[in-house]
């Protein structure tokens, strides 16, 4: 995005635009940021805000590169250490190349209590890391009282504890505190006060999510027509109802209508750091440890005092320093107006690890701090008020009994990590064999964390294997920081592998280009998984995550769409309808056509078999396509014109004929009332630009994309016709795909009197684009610190709760067992949905048996991949209980088993089905391949 022209580069920023919006993006592109401290935390923040797209970022640091830094700063290299380069100068070129729209400069000037701070006036936000508290307070005061205020963020990471402090001034206005898109909520009823406030009830007991004092806008209300287009302040009565003031003077409510939340700006007031020290306003990130934020606040203030007194951090493993810090914490705690009991164990762990660093913790807090930078610059989303604390005491607490030698530096890149987790744990990380599926935004962050942790080193026989079939696109560069513009159209996995080795050359990284799916089960088989310690799923879709095998003695980490209706009520329905029409016309039907001719040798043979009254699967569809095959360009236009009438005129007329506008249901209520909208037939009009976009203009593209069902490119060969399926590609503006979907969706929306969406929103929904931003990705990927806890469990260092995998062989009875175990871990009874292995027995029948153990559950679905094997409510599915698994699944001869997904009925009506225990079904009792 160019700050001068204010044009947003959608090919780069498309995912982020959906998060922030254009106005916030443009504000950010005009902002300058000062960032001090290029350690592990500082470089995380630098990476994130450059990817986000500020105008100017100044990197400040006075320190030289050391070997220690290589374990926390992923943009430093061994040569930087050997030449003792300034850290800001060393990382500058690698930070700058992340985004060509951001000007990145450096400063190595002294910054202390005697520095003239007037140079900060040209910045809109100042971020300090690795800065003494006394200097933070001075700079914060300068920023707070400057007019206009300079947004201030202070960040610190000491071993197992991190903190973020925000001060955005006395009056900080936020235009959109939630950032959520206003949703249309349909109305069941509005009472008429007599006199008094009217009560609005949501349809189908939907929760409105409102708060008292907010305002809603009414539309399409029948009866109380005067409400339409007006905003009313609400008083919440229940999750499903609220009052809107006096309605006694309005006409009685008849039916229909919906309301939208009216976005109202909110002003936040911040205090200076000095004011906040004794009475801190803290966020509680972990409600299982409600006192932790205040305990860490006192401990880290004591650590600040220790540094002022001794001009150093506590020595590694020094018991005397630890006790001094405990005493200081007790003294500091007494000065706090808001306080919690001192946690001596936490303080001692902080003392021992203060000189060290946990890269995943830095990644998590770096992502959080970066998000606050974006909030500060854009006025979008509610800001953090005012302290955020996080600790990883669970990782290091069990290590306190180990000798001091375990944590002593050894002069390598892992010294900072070793201070926190010890040499034994570092060696276990080096030996890990990891398989990561997916190399997108989270995958890149995970690889970076693995590199800093020293996971999978070649010298220790460890390995990180990563697979991803995708190629790099320009839109990836906004979040997937291992990729650069020169990598576009190159494989993600191999490119990321090379970049990871640049961070840590000691790693062993094996890159694959495969999907993990039934087609690659020969590669990713039981033998492959048996070699692994860990599987990481860094996937961007539910289907792929559901496939990932769970029947393994391997830990799996998961670093984890509009309903299409016959009666569309909101724009999402029409967009999904248009997308489905595209898939059906240009992908699904051509694929079926081609598969048919791969099975049958010639048209003559097919005709002969049909004359003999044989049933050929797919034959009807093929004949239908052939009969409508266009032989010249004019035929395409004729077909498109006929399809226009079918979709946007005749369908509406048929529906109105079946259900006239005055149709009433058995209870006397109108059929056509909210959320059902009656259609209005659309007459074809060449003067209508929207109709032209969907029929004529897009017909002129090379791919023949139009509103015609069968105008995929057909190529006649000497033997048979071939069709060329077109896979939907949202990011190519020249292929006509989005033109088709946008036009078809808009026409259907017009037909049902639904407000049309702009192209950007249509692209997001049709392309199933998940709004994404680098700050959130980095923060989530920091959860890899849980890996350290897993290692402690595996190697007997620390006892913790582990949900193990149960292997259940049911024996002779050929039954899929769906059962619920109640397991008491000493905390509270919990439902644990376990994993089953079920062997095929004597009778080849699927029998669904439900054991009701304290919690009665019923299966609602059994699925293999994308195929529904058994759904009780589906017509004919009860007959499937008598079919063999071979007939239902038709496995290959060498297939030993299949993995099934099971769902249960929800506890309450309206809730989603509950995911049940995965089931592994073996085709023979001994697990060998079945006979054909």
């Amino acid at each position: 995005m160019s700050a001068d022209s204010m044009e947003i580069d959608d090919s780069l920023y498309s995912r982020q635009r959906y998060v922030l919006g254009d106005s916030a993006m443009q504000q950010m592109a005009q902002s300058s940021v000062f960032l001090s401290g290029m350690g592990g935390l500082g470089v995380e923040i630098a990476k994130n805000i450059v990817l986000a797209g500020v105008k100017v970022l100044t990197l400040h640091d006075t320190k030289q590169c050391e070997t220690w830094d290589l374990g926390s700063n992923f943009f430093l290299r061994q040569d930087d250490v050997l030449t003792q380069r300034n850290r800001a100068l060393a990382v500058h070129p690698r930070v700058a190349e992340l985004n060509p729209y951001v000007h990145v400069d450096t400063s190595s000037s002294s910054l202390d209590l005697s520095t003239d701070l007037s140079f900060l006036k040209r910045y809109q936000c100042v971020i300090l890391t690795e800065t003494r508290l006394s200097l933070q307070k001075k700079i914060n005061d300068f920023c707070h009282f400057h007019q206009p205020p300079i947004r201030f963020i202070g960040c610190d990471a000491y071993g197992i504890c991190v903190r973020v402090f925000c001060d955005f001034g006395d009056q900080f206005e936020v235009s959109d505190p939630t950032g959520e898109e206003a949703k249309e909520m349909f109305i069941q009823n509005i009472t008429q006060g007599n006199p008094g406030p009217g009560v609005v009830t949501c349809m189908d007991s939907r929760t409105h999510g409102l708060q008292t004092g907010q305002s809603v806008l009414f539309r399409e209300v029948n009866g109380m027509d005067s409400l339409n287009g007006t905003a009313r302040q609400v008083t919440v009565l229940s999750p499903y109802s609220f009052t809107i003031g006096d309605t006694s003077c309005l006409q009685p409510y008849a039916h229909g209508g919906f309301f939208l939340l009216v976005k109202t700006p909110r002003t936040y007031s911040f205090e200076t750091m000095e004011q906040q020290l004794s009475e801190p306003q803290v966020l509680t990130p972990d409600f299982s440890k409600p006192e932790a934020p205040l305990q860490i606040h006192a401990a880290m203030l004591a650590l600040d005092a220790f540094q002022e007194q001794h001009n150093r951090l506590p020595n590694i493993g020094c018991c005397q320093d630890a006790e001094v810090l405990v005493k200081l914490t007790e003294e500091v705690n007494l000065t706090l107006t808001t306080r919690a009991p001192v946690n001596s164990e936490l303080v001692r762990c902080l003392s021992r690890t203060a000189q060290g660093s946990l890269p995943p913790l830095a990644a998590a807090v770096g992502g959080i701090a970066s998000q606050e930078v974006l909030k500060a610059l854009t006025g979008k989303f509610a800001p953090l008020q005012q302290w955020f604390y996080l600790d990883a005491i669970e990782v290091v607490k069990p290590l306190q009994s180990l000798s001091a030698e375990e944590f002593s530096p050894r002069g390598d890149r892992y010294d900072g990590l070793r201070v926190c987790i010890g040499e034994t744990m570092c060696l276990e990380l080096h030996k890990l064999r990891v398989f990561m599926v997916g190399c997108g935004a989270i995958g890149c962050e995970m690889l970076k964390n693995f590199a800093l942790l020293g996971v999978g080193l070649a010298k220790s026989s460890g390995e990180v294997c990563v697979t991803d079939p995708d190629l790099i696109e320009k839109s990836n560069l906004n979040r997937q920081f291992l990729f650069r513009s020169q990598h576009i159209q190159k494989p993600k996995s191999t490119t990321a592998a090379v970049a990871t080795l640049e961070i840590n050359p000691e790693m062993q990284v094996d890159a694959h280009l495969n999907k993990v799916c039934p087609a690659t089960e020969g590669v990713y088989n039981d033998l492959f998984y048996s070699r692994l310690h860990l599987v990481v799923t860094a996937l961007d879709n539910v289907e792929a995550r559901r496939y990932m095998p769970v029947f393994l003695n391997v830990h799996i980490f998961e670093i984890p769409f509009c309903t299409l209706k016959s009666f569309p009520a909101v724009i999402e329905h029409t967009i999904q309808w248009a997308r489905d029409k595209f898939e059906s016309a240009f992908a699904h039907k051509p694929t079926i056509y081609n598969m048919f001719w791969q099975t049958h040798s010639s048209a003559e043979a097919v005709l002969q078999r049909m004359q003999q009254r044989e049933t050929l699967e797919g034959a009807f569809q093929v004949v239908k396509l052939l009969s409508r095959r266009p032989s010249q360009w004019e035929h395409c236009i004729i077909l498109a014109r006929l399809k226009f009438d079918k979709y946007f005129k005749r369908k509406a007329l048929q529906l109105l004929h079946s259900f006239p506008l005055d149709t009433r249901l058995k209870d006397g209520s109108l059929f056509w009332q909210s959320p059902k909208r009656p259609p209005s037939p659309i007459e074809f009009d060449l003067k209508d630009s929207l109709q032209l976009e969907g029929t004529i203009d897009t017909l002129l593209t090379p791919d023949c994309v139009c509103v015609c069902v069968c105008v995929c490119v057909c190529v006649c060969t000497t033997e048979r016709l071939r069709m060329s399926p077109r896979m939907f590609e949202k990011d190519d503006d020249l292929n006509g795909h989005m033109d088709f979907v946008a036009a078809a969706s808009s026409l259907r929306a017009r037909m049902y009197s639904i407000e049309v969406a702009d192209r950007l929103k249509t692209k997001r929904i049709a392309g199933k684009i998940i709004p994404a931003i680098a700050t959130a990705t980095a923060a989530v990927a920091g959860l890899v610190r849980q890996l350290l806890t897993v290692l402690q469990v595996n190697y007997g260092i620390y006892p913790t709760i582990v949900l193990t995998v149960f292997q259940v062989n049911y024996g002779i009875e050929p039954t899929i067992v769906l059962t619920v175990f109640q397991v008491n871990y000493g905390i509270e009874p919990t439902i644990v949905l376990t994993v089953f292995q079920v062997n095929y027995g004597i009778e080849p029948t699927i029998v669904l048996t439900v054991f009701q153990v304290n919690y009665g559950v019923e299966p609602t679905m059994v699925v293999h991949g994308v195929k529904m094997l058994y759904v009780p409510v589906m017509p004919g599915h009860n007959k499937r209980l008598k079919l063999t698994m071979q007939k239902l699944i038709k496995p290959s001869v060498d297939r030993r088993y299949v993995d099934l997904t099971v769902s249960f009925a929800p506890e309450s009506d309206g809730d989603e089905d509950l995911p049940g225990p995965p089931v592994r079904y073996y085709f023979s009792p001994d697990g060998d391949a079945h006979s054909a």
Side-chain angles (χ1 to χ4, degrees), residues 567-578:
F567 303 100
V570 292
I571 191 62
E572 286 83 356
H573 297 160
T574 72
I575 294 172
Q576 189 61 43
W577 174 87

Side-chain angles (χ1 to χ4, degrees), residues 437-456:
V437 185
C439 199
I442 290 178
C444 287
E445 293 287 340
M446 292 296 289
L447 285 172
K448 174 257 298 178
N449 289 333
F450 288 154
L452 296 176
L453 289 169
V455 170

Side-chain angles (χ1 to χ4, degrees), residues 484-589:
R484 303 291 181 268
S485 57
Q486 65 267 28
H487 299 142
I488 292 174
Q489 289 304 301
K490 292 183 178 180
K492 286 185 175 181
S493 59
T494 55
T495 305
V498 172
T500 303
L501 290 173
E502 289 180 1
I503 299 174
N504 188 344
E506 299 177 358
M507 292 179 68
Q508 178 70 37
V509 184
D510 185 19
H512 296 184
L513 304 178
N514 304 320
K515 285 185 177 181
V516 179
C517 62
T520 58
E521 286 180 357
V523 178
Y524 307 117
N525 51 27
D526 290 352
L527 178 61
F528 174 83
Y529 287 112
S530 67
R531 297 179 55 252
L532 302 174
H533 299 109
L534 178 71
V535 174
V536 177
T537 59
L539 298 161
D540 62 355
N541 65 85
V542 174
E543 290 78 11
R545 289 204 299 270
R546 282 178 176 167
Y547 175 78
M548 286 304 300
V550 293
F551 300 88
L552 309 164
N553 292 318
V554 179
H555 292 279
I556 296 182
F557 282 9
E558 275 222 282
I559 305 297
F561 29 93
C562 156
T563 304
L564 181 62
K565 296 185 177 181
S566 299
F567 303 100
V570 292
I571 191 62
E572 286 83 356
H573 297 160
T574 72
I575 294 172
Q576 189 61 43
W577 174 87
R579 170 66 192 273
D580 286 355
K581 288 299 177 189
F582 182 97
E583 293 291 344
S584 174
F586 306 124
H588 180 63
K589 290 180 180 178

